[in-house]
Amino acid sequence: MTQATHLSAQQSKTPGTNRRMWGLDSPKMDIDAAHLVVGAEGTVRIPLPAYLIEHEQGLVLFDTSMNPLVCDDPGLVYEEGRPERDMIIGDPEQRIDRQLATLGYRPEDITHVILSHTHSDHAGGLYLFPQAKFFAGPGELQWQAGHGPSTSHLFNPTDFSDEVKAFDWNSVQAPSQDLFGDGSIIMHHTPGHTPGELSALVRLPSRNIILTGDTVHLREAVEWGEVDPSDWDYDEERASIAKLKQLRDSEDASLWIAHDPRDWEDFGGPLQEIA
């Protein structure tokens, strides 16, 4: 092999990168931290976000936040008696369609949607993107369709209408799947919170970031290796937390915990461009 050929082979193994990424602004929810991590204390105001990733092959959303109507009035989505009516704090400008517009995009510009899992604070905006290609973790959609009464409060039945179910859904292969085949976005199966929970390694020119979905909810979950009381499987969850740590270290990446306001401060806040 000549030196030039050797260098070409080496370069071909270098992972690709995305152009840039934003964490979108979102409604917030006031919640007891003990509901997010066993042993945590106090009330925390958590974001309920989505992320936009710009790649040369398309625009990718990681999660879709809650149904955008909650930003206008939670009562438009949640019936009388549901605690979300009082727990959610939103503003009409935090609707995901308006957040995209702020960046110069329309919902129809989205080409791919990665759904970390099917709970309503992540799946509420799915219906806005019928043209996209959708990715969910192994068994996640089947589990959502058959979940039991003990977790019914985590779902909004209207998120998975017949129209949404008919979208172009694709099941991610465990343990990981490369979205574009260039290493720029790698979806990792990190079950525990739900059977098909996904995280995503996002490579950017300046840094690598792991979007954790609900694999963990607050930093304490990573530090303590502790579960969320509502997790589907505690043993799977602890194994996935260990996987996140290993992935973070091996890829020289930073974790972005979607629901932890401290992480949003560290990454510069909503709509901060990261390139």
Side-chain angles (χ1 to χ4, degrees):
M1 177 182 294
T2 67
Q3 183 178 15
T5 303
H6 177 71
L7 289 174
S8 177
Q10 289 287 86
Q11 290 168 352
S12 68
K13 295 179 182 178
T14 302
T17 60
N18 301 280
R19 291 172 176 162
R20 49 188 176 166
M21 183 182 87
W22 301 265
L24 303 182
D25 201 5
S26 66
K28 312 294 190 294
M29 177 182 284
D30 288 339
I31 191 169
D32 186 340
H35 292 163
L36 303 175
V37 186
V38 171
E41 298 179 342
T43 300
V44 60
R45 179 165 290 185
I46 61 171
L48 308 171
Y51 300 84
L52 180 66
I53 307 161
E54 185 183 288
H55 188 275
E56 63 180 11
Q57 296 185 45
L59 282 172
V60 182
L61 271 179
F62 183 88
D63 283 338
T64 65
S65 188
M66 275 194 155
N67 186 310
L69 291 176
V70 302
C71 298
D72 301 320
D73 178 3
L76 296 173
V77 177
Y78 293 100
E79 61 189 19
E80 196 73 39
R82 285 286 295 252
E84 291 90 346
R85 291 170 69 104
D86 298 319
M87 296 167 68
I88 296 171
I89 302 95
D91 180 278
E93 292 308 308
Q94 293 173 321
R95 292 172 53 110
I96 189 170
D97 48 354
R98 294 182 184 170
Q99 286 290 295
L100 292 173
T102 298
L103 295 171
Y105 298 114
R106 304 166 300 167
E108 51 265 42
D109 295 327
I110 301 301
T111 58
H112 300 74
V113 175
I114 301 170
L115 182 62
S116 68
H117 64 296
T118 51
H119 289 163
S120 61
D121 54 325
H122 299 257
L126 292 171
Y127 72 93
L128 290 170
F129 311 103
Q131 75 290 336
K133 190 171 185 177
F134 290 80
F135 293 84
E140 181 70 12
L141 297 181
Q142 293 82 356
W143 178 76
Q144 179 276 331
H147 68 81
S150 63
T151 57
S152 61
H153 63 290
L154 299 173
F155 296 91
N156 183 348
T158 62
D159 292 342
F160 288 90
S161 63
D162 289 342
E163 178 185 9
V164 170
K165 291 176 185 176
F167 287 171
D168 181 10
W169 285 99
N170 300 267
S171 180
V172 172
Q173 301 170 13
S176 64
Q177 184 172 327
D178 190 333
L179 181 62
F180 291 117
D182 62 357
S184 61
I185 300 177
I186 300 178
M187 301 171 287
H188 288 270
H189 183 213
T190 48
H193 185 57
T194 68
E197 176 75 39
L198 295 177
S199 301
L201 172 65
V202 180
R203 299 187 195 277
L204 295 156
S206 65
R207 64 193 304 179
N208 298 331
I209 296 173
I210 299 170
L211 303 177
T212 66
D214 275 5
T215 309
V216 287
H217 292 76
L218 297 174
R219 291 179 179 178
E220 287 78 4
V222 180
E223 296 165 3
W224 305 342
E226 194 52 272
V227 302
D228 171 348
S230 66
D231 284 339
W232 162 72
D233 187 297
Y234 288 178
D235 290 338
E236 292 270 21
E237 174 62 18
R238 292 189 175 99
S240 289
I241 293 173
K243 178 178 179 177
L244 276 184
K245 292 180 179 179
Q246 186 277 328
L247 189 64
R248 174 197 63 191
D249 296 343
S250 65
E251 297 290 349
D252 188 24
S254 301
L255 299 182
W256 192 335
I257 302 171
H259 291 314
D260 197 314
R262 295 165 293 186
D263 278 25
W264 284 80
E265 291 177 8
D266 285 354
F267 281 101
L271 297 180
Q272 177 65 45
E273 180 180 316
I274 304 174

